[in-house]
Amino acid sequence: MTPDDVLRDAVVLDLHGVLDKGAFMDRCAAALGLPAWFGRNWDALADCLGDLPGPVSVVVTRWQEYADARPRDWSIAEEVFAAAVDASPSGLMVLLALGGSSKSDAGSLG
């Protein structure tokens, strides 16, 4: 699979403005087209990620604000994503986009 294949049909999970677990779950439900019965908790998210038709790539963008606001919840989200990728029979990929943070004090490489 080439990088173009991975991104061609990627689902973008944009977390801009997400500051709590409820908003995170709502954003996941909308972006991923999760079913109405989605329980908006970590176990339900793990179950739904395992049921996504695949292969599918999820690109998580502008996640840094949520990670800063709720580091414990973000750590759990990362664990849920990682476990879902490991367990996915259909080829789930979750990619975290770097950059796009609202922080203006980012360092340079030069």
Side-chain angles (χ1 to χ4, degrees):
M1 182 177 286
T2 69
D4 289 338
D5 294 333
V6 169
L7 296 176
R8 181 177 303 120
D9 297 318
V11 174
V12 175
L13 175 58
D14 183 356
L15 298 182
H16 178 68
V18 171
L19 297 175
D20 61 34
K21 180 181 171 185
F24 175 81
M25 294 294 175
D26 289 344
R27 197 68 58 91
C28 286
L32 300 171
L34 301 182
W37 55 261
F38 169 56
R40 288 175 168 67
N41 60 59
W42 299 118
D43 288 335
L45 180 60
D47 290 344
C48 288
L49 288 171
D51 292 339
L52 290 176
V56 64
S57 299
V58 178
V59 179
V60 185
T61 62
R62 301 195 286 182
W63 51 271
Q64 296 90 340
E65 188 176 21
Y66 179 55
D68 289 342
R70 297 286 192 260
R72 183 175 181 278
D73 282 347
W74 178 247
S75 178
I76 295 169
E78 288 180 306
E79 290 174 19
V80 169
F81 287 142
V85 167
D86 288 344
S88 173
S90 60
L92 172 66
M93 293 180 68
V94 177
L95 306 135
L96 298 181
L98 300 178
S101 147
S102 60
K103 294 182 179 181
S104 60
D105 59 346
S108 69
L109 296 176

